[in-house]
Structures are given as C-alpha cells and as structure tokens.
Amino acid sequence: MPSSEMPDKSVRATPGRAKRTTIHEVAKDARVSKTSVSRYLGEERKLLSDDLRERIEASIKRLGFKPDRIASSMRGRRTRLIGMVVADMLNPYTVAMMHGAETACREQGYSLVVCNTDRDDELERRHLDVLRAYSVEGLIVNTQGRNVDMLQELSNEGLPMVMVDRRVSELNVDMVGLDNHHAVSLATSHLLDQGYRDILLISEPIAGISTRQERSNGFQYALQACQDAHGDIIEVALTTPDALTEALKHFMQRPGAGPKALLSANGVVTTHICHVLRRHDSISFDTLGLIGIDELDWCALLDPGISTVAQPTQHIGQAAVDQLLARLSMSTRPIQHQLFEGSLNIRGSTRAR
Amino acid sequence: MPSSEMPDKSVRATPGRAKRTTIHEVAKDARVSKTSVSRYLGEERKLLSDDLRERIEASIKRLGFKPDRIASSMRGRRTRLIGMVVADMLNPYTVAMMHGAETACREQGYSLVVCNTDRDDELERRHLDVLRAYSVEGLIVNTQGRNVDMLQELSNEGLPMVMVDRRVSELNVDMVGLDNHHAVSLATSHLLDQGYRDILLISEPIAGISTRQERSNGFQYALQACQDAHGDIIEVALTTPDALTEALKHFMQRPGAGPKALLSANGVVTTHICHVLRRHDSISFDTLGLIGIDELDWCALLDPGISTVAQPTQHIGQAAVDQLLARLSMSTRPIQHQLFEGSLNIRGSTRAR
DNA sequence: AAGCGTTATGGAACCGTTCCCATAACCATA
DNA sequence: TATGGTTATGGGAACGGTTCCATAACGCTT
C-alpha cells in the first residue's frame, strides 16, 4: 500500500469551549419551557409565577448552570464587551486610564478587551477589525489618528466610540481628555512666576496628534503673558536617543533671556529628559528648571522633586466608559468633549534661584 | 383615568451589535451555498474549485463582508479569546507582563480580555465567572490564591490555565514566573559581597503567596553563606503606611552586626521604601544599602542609582501565552513550570563604604 | 456500459440563547 | 353563557456561522 503524503488533521484536540449545562437541560429538569428559563435569567423574571420561579431556581442551582454569554449575544445582540485600543500600553498614563476604564466597565457589567497598537497604524487597523468582529458594544480609542477612514466607518455603522486623550478633528465622536491649554498654561505661568525666562518645551513629534499640538499652542499662548520671556519648542523622536541629548546641550549652551527651564510635554518625555540629564551631569536643578505634564511614581522621589501637572488619569478612563454607556442608551445625545483640569504639583525642580 | 406607576421600558435604543453583511448574503451574491463560503473562510479553502473561490472572493470584497467571530464560535466552539486575571493592574510588573501577553496573543490571532481584581477575592471570583461565561479558550491567572476551589473547577472543566508569577500548590496547572530562589540569592550574595552584614528583607505580608514565601526562604538560605552576617525579615502591609516607616526606623536604630542594607521583595515595596526614606532624611545610601527585586523606570535615575534584580517581564507574559496555546493544542502534555532567571543591575545604592 | 473511487458542492441540522407570537387559564363584566 | 382583557406559559423561528452527510459530476477500470 503506497502511503500517500497527507498532513494529519486529526490532532485538533481540546475544543475551545467546554460542553456545559444549557438552558435546555435546566428547562427539562424544572419541567418548564426554555423560554421561561430565559425569562428567569433576564429582565422578565417578574412575569413568572412563584411556582415556576422556584423550580427554575432550584434546577439552576442543582445543575450548576451558568448562562453562555456568547450564545446570548447571538440573538440578543448584546455582547457586553467594550473594546479599547491604546497606542502605548507601557505608558503610565495609559495604564492608569485603562485601570479606570476597567473598573467602570466591571461596575456596569461590561468586560474590556484591550488592544495595544505599539503606535503602529497597521496594527491599529487589525485591532479595529478584530474588535468589530467581536461586536464590541463600544470602542475607546487612543489613536494615532492615521486611520480616520476606518474609525469613521465604524462610527457610521453605529458603533459608539469615544476618543481618549487625543482628538481627531475629522471624527465626530465623543472625547475625554485633559484640558491641555489649561494644563500647559498652569505649567508655563508657574515657570514664569518662579523667574524662569528662557523656556524650552520638549514634545514628541507633533505629527498631527492633537494633544501635542494643543500643548504646543498653549505654551506659546501662555508665554505672551510675559514680555521679557523667551520660549522655544522642540520636537524630538524618542526612538533616536541622541536627538534629545543634542537638543538639551544646545539649549543649555545658548545665551538666553534669563534663567532656563524645561517644560516636558508628557510623562514619557520627562523620563527621557531625566535619563539624559543624569547621564551627563548628575541631576541638579540649580541652573535648569524642569516641570512636566503627567505625574509619575517617582517625581516626588528624585531630589529635590520634579514639579508636574498631574492628570486625573483614572477619572479619564472612567469617564470614557461613562460616555460610551450613555451613548449606548441614547444614541442621539449631542457629541460631547469632556475635558478635565490638571493640577499643579510644585516641587524642587522649579524653585529657581 | 388613574395613571398607574410603571417604568418606561421603551427607551432601549441602539442594539449592541450592528446589522452587517452575512455569509448568507455573500453566498447568494456569489451563487454558491453558505457552506462554500464558510469553507472559503476556514481551513478548507483548498477544497474549492478556482471558479468558486474567485466568485466568493469577489463577492466578499464587493459586499465588504467580515465574518462574525461570535457567531462562528457558536458551533465552531473557538472564541479565540484569552482571559487574563491580574491582582494589580497598576503594578509595573503586571503591566509589562500584560504587554508581553497581549503581543503574543495578537501574533497568534487571539485577543485578550483583561480583568483586574485589585487584590479582592470576591472580585476575582466574579471575574472568573465572567471569563467562563465568555468561553475564553484559556486563562492566565495572577491570583491571590484564595479561590483555589473555583480555579480547580475551571481547570477540571478542561479550561487550559497558566499561573503567572505566583503558584498555587493545590493547583495542578502550568506556571510561568521568576526563579525566586535564584533572584533573591543573586541579590543577597551581592549585598554580602559588598560588605553588608545586617540585612533586612522587606516583603508584603506573605499570606500564602508563593512568590513572597519563596523570596523569603531564598533569603534565609542565601544568608547562610556568610557566618558573620545577620538577616531579618519583616512583612509590612503597604496599606498602612506608618508600618513601613516604623520598621525602617527600628532597623536603623538597632545595633547590628555591621553595615546595614535593605532587600526589597518587589517593585512596589521598593517604591514605598524610597518614599519613606525621602520623607525622613534625604535619600543617601552611605549608611544604608538598598537592592530591590524588580527593575523600575527610575531606578537608574535616583542618585546614585538603585540596584535591582530585573525580571524578564515581557518574556514572562509571552511565555504564559505560549504555554496556554501549547496546552490548547495538546492537552495531555505534562504540567510545566517555567522559571526565568533575573539579572542583577548593580548601582550606587549597594556600594557600601 | 456498468462499477467505483475522488472531488466539488449543497442541504439541513446544529450551537445556546432571545424574542415574537400563539394560546391556555383565569377573572370580571355584560 | 358569551365576551373581553389580563396574565402566565410555551412553541418555534431567528441569530450567523460550522459541520455532517448526501449527492452530483467526473474520470478511470474492467
């Protein structure tokens, strides 16, 4: 017998979903129809007579029945899943926001499917595809903003969506984030108050990301309050570490209008700045002020403390979920952009002398 | 007419899942049966003739059809979901591990449903219930270990499961984590090498959590290498901040066998220690050494640098997923505990003088 | 031309729920 | 007793796919 080459397809061992007690078996056990069991499970429980209710309850307990959410979402069309697409899962801001969102979801009976794009557009598309395929009931997006078409389409299909942290102007959906103008003006005026007169805003490449743009604009605006102050903005890609080093060196050497300070546009930038400073001199804020947007675990730790503007990150995540659920139950409500105010934490890094 | 009080049930606006193109419409459009379309989508594509294949492909493109994963998981029984239950989502270790897991999932076509228990047993149970209800194909658990019965049950039902970071001895499932004995011995010998002779291990309450127990045991074992060294272990609940402060004060004042050092059992503890130290003196490691398990963003930053034993956190997350998928395709393979080695980062905080 | 093994295709059952609709049971009113 | 209006219950289609099984179509032998 000639053995024909043929891949063995028989292995396919454990099936994904284990066989469990079904509503049908409960119905049989309780001598009622599956409709009644379904009623018991859902919001129509009050329609049932005491008799049926008790029998069903007993059977469910005896058989250890747990309803299958997947099956129920088939006809019922409610997956109770919320999708979340984030650009950078390792960013402390993102983490705290996720945490707030997860908590809010749980409290409302939803679960969160988290997707990380690592700032990759193609990955973002793929993730959106997947989330659509799972019929998530809503989408929280922290997007790079280069897949507007796709997001637009999803939104048009009726998928509730809320942008978080960043807004995409073409996208006509709810948004939750920081009042960047206020935050940056808080930071800038503080620096000016402390006597700094030559200020450098360090941002990641703006590249159409609203948050960065707004912080940049806000900075320029806030500077105008002080005639004799000079401000500059520099965009550095953190992927090329030397860029930041060079930028800082250049800033320090350049003759300025007065005491120098850095304004870091976000937490990741702050971290990088500190690493660069540490690598060259040991960190001292006698000759160079520093304030950053985003509070980090260690800002109070690094002697003499780094001043920050803190975002209410967990609230933001929570608010995103709230918005989503609000829209879910009232799709016609007006589009809403919900901005939170940052709060200033003054520490040693901005006590000029 | 007496108006009877009655809640308005009619609002129930947008349904969760939008109406989309179905396999049935594609079939009609391509003049084939839905079976053929299903074949095209699945792994039986090679069974189709070129003619059909092309027609189906064209129709799918024209109609913009995207298969519904929920529906396909009904009969097909593969949800392509992985559930992950973590004790503390804000812990940097957890975050990095999640990141590794998310990446691995995506690469294998799975999605991750993340649940945070905030170290609450009841919440853990609820989350497990939910994940079961979604028929996740596998479970990654970073558990408090007080719901063994439930985890056991899930595992018995055939749900592949892998514990991460912490092991629960009663649970006969795969595990991925750090070689704690090695890590702690790395740290301890380093301290001894540097001449520290009075060492305090600071841990969160052991409370049956394997990782903490192992680090504690490993510490005691490693100490034996040095006759004239003295070691102590203290468990502090970080929820009562003064406990740690008191413990440190007591340790510092007590007469010791020689130079004193702290060994922090994990990153969260390290953070707390630094905060306490900073609040009292300014941090200086001249009179007190410090090394921590878990590398943190800022350990290199805090002058003169905090020594650590770093875990390959992302690898751990990735390995957890790998294990899960391996078991998914071969349920009979032997239980495996996969331990990674930590790596020592020597910095100024352990250069005794 | 009949018989047989392959390959390509379709029909229909099925997965575990929800929901629409029909109907039985009951009470009140005419 | 007939009529009508509730209320409690069940039957079965539906959801959007997958999979089992039957069969048509096609060579290839004999």
Side-chain angles (χ1 to χ4, degrees):
Chain A
M1 222 183 286
S3 81
S4 74
E5 276 290 88
M6 184 165 286
D8 183 4
K9 280 188 22 174
S10 67
V11 253
R12 182 78 168 306
T14 326
R17 308 166 64 203
K19 170 101 190 112
R20 288 166 359 200
T21 327
T22 77
I23 210 175
H24 182 249
E25 300 170 72
V26 173
K28 208 167 61 180
D29 186 78
R31 288 159 299 131
V32 299
S33 73
K34 42 197 189 93
T35 308
S36 294
V37 180
S38 175
R39 287 203 174 99
Y40 176 87
L41 298 172
E43 287 148 37
E44 302 177 278
R45 187 178 306 199
K46 57 196 162 201
L47 291 185
L48 299 177
S49 68
D50 293 352
D51 179 34
L52 276 210
R53 195 169 15 233
E54 282 160 20
R55 267 155 54 204
I56 294 174
E57 188 167 355
S59 293
I60 286 183
K61 189 163 290 177
R62 172 166 47 246
L63 300 173
F65 167 77
K66 295 279 168 61
D68 179 332
R69 279 217 185 178
I70 298 250
S72 87
S73 79
M74 271 297 291
R75 183 87 218 264
R77 338 207 101 252
R78 309 210 50 189
T79 58
R80 298 210 159 267
L81 246 29
I82 300 278
M84 178 153 164
V85 178
V86 299
D88 178 9
M89 205 174 161
L90 294 177
N91 187 325
Y93 168 88
T94 307
V95 174
M97 193 271 287
M98 280 172 56
H99 181 247
E102 202 271 352
T103 306
C105 278
R106 171 178 30 82
E107 284 168 357
Q108 309 285 341
Y110 284 79
S111 293
L112 199 61
V113 182
V114 176
C115 300
N116 183 40
T117 69
D118 269 333
R119 300 159 185 256
D120 177 318
D121 294 338
E122 169 57 20
L123 227 51
E124 183 173 297
R125 297 183 85 86
R126 285 229 287 276
H127 278 313
L128 288 172
D129 258 339
V130 170
L131 292 176
R132 190 221 303 259
Y134 279 117
S135 299
V136 293
E137 291 188 43
L139 212 48
I140 299 175
V141 285
N142 171 231
T143 174
Q144 294 290 89
R146 266 168 259 122
N147 289 321
V148 185
D149 49 340
M150 192 162 181
L151 290 165
Q152 189 66 261
E153 192 185 322
L154 285 166
S155 173
N156 291 343
E157 284 174 9
L159 182 64
M161 186 180 299
V162 45
M163 301 179 289
V164 79
D165 184 58
R166 305 162 174 188
R167 95 184 70 218
V168 177
S169 57
E170 300 94 312
L171 228 52
N172 215 24
V173 303
D174 294 321
M175 186 265 179
V176 178
L178 183 69
D179 182 340
N180 287 307
H181 203 274
H182 173 261
V184 101
S185 122
L186 221 50
T188 310
S189 347
H190 170 65
L191 288 178
L192 293 174
D193 285 352
Q194 297 295 310
Y196 296 102
R197 283 299 174 268
D198 190 14
I199 307 178
L200 181 66
L201 170 73
I202 306 184
S203 168
E204 294 183 78
I206 292 180
I209 290 175
S210 69
T211 306
R212 298 177 189 168
Q213 185 68 64
E214 288 167 16
R215 290 178 190 177
S216 171
N217 294 349
F219 174 62
Q220 289 177 308
Y221 181 85
L223 267 181
Q224 294 168 10
C226 182
Q227 297 298 349
D228 58 335
H230 178 76
D232 264 325
I233 298 176
I234 185 171
E235 304 175 31
V236 284
L238 300 178
T239 41
T240 54
D242 287 349
L244 180 58
T245 310
E246 288 308 309
L248 287 182
K249 190 182 296 177
H250 179 256
F251 175 66
M252 289 308 293
Q253 286 169 354
R254 161 185 107 178
K260 290 174 190 289
L262 302 175
L263 169 46
S264 160
N266 69 41
V268 178
V269 173
T270 306
T271 308
H272 279 257
I273 291 175
C274 288
H275 272 102
V276 170
L277 292 180
R278 169 107 166 86
R279 200 170 311 129
H280 290 262
D281 316 290
S282 87
I283 303 182
S284 141
F285 296 106
D286 294 342
T287 55
L288 176 68
L290 171 64
I291 187 170
I293 294 188
D294 284 343
E295 170 75 357
L296 301 163
D297 273 355
W298 46 271
C299 282
L301 241 39
L302 199 57
D303 196 70
I306 295 174
S307 301
T308 60
V309 176
Q311 301 195 43
T313 36
Q314 305 216 12
H315 272 89
I316 290 177
Q318 166 145 7
V321 173
D322 290 346
Q323 294 249 9
L324 218 44
L325 298 186
R327 181 155 305 283
L328 212 52
S329 62
M330 177 168 46
S331 58
T332 61
R333 72 175 210 147
I335 302 292
Q336 185 176 326
H337 284 205
Q338 186 177 5
L339 297 185
F340 288 88
E341 296 211 338
S343 56
L344 188 61
N345 294 305
I346 300 176
R347 302 201 178 96
S349 70
T350 53
R351 290 204 193 98
R353 231 169 317 160
Chain B
M1 220 183 288
S3 80
S4 72
E5 278 288 86
M6 185 164 287
D8 182 4
K9 278 187 27 173
S10 68
V11 253
R12 184 79 170 304
T14 326
R17 309 166 65 201
K19 170 101 191 114
R20 286 163 4 198
T21 329
T22 75
I23 209 176
H24 183 250
E25 301 171 73
V26 173
K28 209 168 59 179
D29 187 79
R31 288 158 298 128
V32 300
S33 71
K34 19 185 220 133
T35 307
S36 294
V37 180
S38 175
R39 289 205 173 99
Y40 176 88
L41 298 172
E43 288 148 35
E44 303 176 278
R45 188 177 305 200
K46 56 196 164 203
L47 291 185
L48 299 177
S49 67
D50 293 353
D51 179 32
L52 276 211
R53 193 166 20 231
E54 282 162 22
R55 271 163 40 211
I56 294 174
E57 188 166 357
S59 293
I60 286 183
K61 190 162 287 175
R62 171 166 50 245
L63 299 172
F65 167 77
K66 295 278 169 61
D68 180 332
R69 281 216 182 176
I70 298 249
S72 81
S73 79
M74 276 294 296
R75 179 85 212 257
R77 335 208 103 249
R78 309 209 50 189
T79 58
R80 298 208 157 271
L81 288 175
I82 300 279
M84 178 152 163
V85 178
V86 300
D88 177 8
M89 205 176 159
L90 293 177
N91 187 325
Y93 168 87
T94 307
V95 174
M97 192 270 289
M98 278 172 57
H99 182 249
E102 202 271 353
T103 306
C105 278
R106 171 178 29 82
E107 285 168 357
Q108 309 285 341
Y110 282 80
S111 293
L112 199 60
V113 182
V114 176
C115 299
N116 183 40
T117 69
D118 269 333
R119 301 159 184 255
D120 179 316
D121 294 338
E122 169 57 20
L123 228 50
E124 183 174 297
R125 296 184 86 85
R126 285 229 286 276
H127 278 312
L128 288 172
D129 257 338
V130 170
L131 291 175
R132 190 223 303 259
Y134 279 117
S135 300
V136 294
E137 292 187 43
L139 212 50
I140 300 175
V141 286
N142 171 231
T143 175
Q144 293 289 90
R146 264 168 262 123
N147 288 320
V148 186
D149 49 342
M150 191 161 182
L151 290 165
Q152 190 66 261
E153 192 184 323
L154 285 166
S155 173
N156 291 344
E157 283 174 10
L159 183 63
M161 186 180 300
V162 44
M163 303 179 287
V164 79
D165 184 57
R166 305 161 173 189
R167 95 185 68 218
V168 177
S169 57
E170 300 95 314
L171 228 52
N172 214 22
V173 304
D174 295 320
M175 188 265 179
V176 178
L178 182 71
D179 182 340
N180 288 308
H181 204 274
H182 173 261
V184 101
S185 121
L186 221 48
T188 310
S189 354
H190 170 65
L191 289 177
L192 294 174
D193 285 351
Q194 297 296 308
Y196 296 102
R197 283 298 174 271
D198 190 14
I199 306 178
L200 181 65
L201 170 71
I202 306 184
S203 169
E204 294 183 77
I206 292 179
I209 290 175
S210 68
T211 306
R212 299 177 188 166
Q213 186 67 64
E214 289 167 15
R215 291 179 190 176
S216 172
N217 293 349
F219 173 63
Q220 290 177 306
Y221 181 84
L223 267 179
Q224 294 170 8
C226 180
Q227 298 296 350
D228 58 336
H230 179 75
D232 262 325
I233 298 176
I234 186 170
E235 305 175 32
V236 285
L238 300 176
T239 41
T240 55
D242 287 350
L244 180 57
T245 311
E246 287 309 309
L248 287 181
K249 190 182 296 176
H250 179 257
F251 176 64
M252 289 307 293
Q253 286 168 354
R254 161 185 106 178
K260 289 174 190 289
L262 302 175
L263 169 46
S264 161
N266 69 41
V268 178
V269 172
T270 306
T271 308
H272 279 257
I273 290 175
C274 288
H275 272 102
V276 170
L277 291 181
R278 170 108 167 83
R279 199 170 312 128
H280 291 260
D281 317 290
S282 88
I283 303 182
S284 139
F285 296 106
D286 294 343
T287 54
L288 176 68
L290 172 64
I291 187 169
I293 293 186
D294 283 342
E295 169 74 357
L296 300 162
D297 272 354
W298 46 273
C299 282
L301 241 39
L302 198 57
D303 197 67
I306 295 174
S307 301
T308 61
V309 177
Q311 302 195 42
T313 38
Q314 306 218 11
H315 272 89
I316 290 177
Q318 164 143 9
V321 173
D322 290 347
Q323 294 248 8
L324 218 44
L325 298 186
R327 182 156 304 283
L328 212 51
S329 61
M330 176 169 44
S331 58
T332 59
R333 71 176 212 147
I335 302 291
Q336 186 176 324
H337 285 205
Q338 186 177 5
L339 298 185
F340 288 89
E341 296 212 338
S343 56
L344 187 62
N345 294 305
I346 301 175
R347 303 201 177 94
S349 70
T350 52
R351 289 203 195 97
R353 230 167 319 155

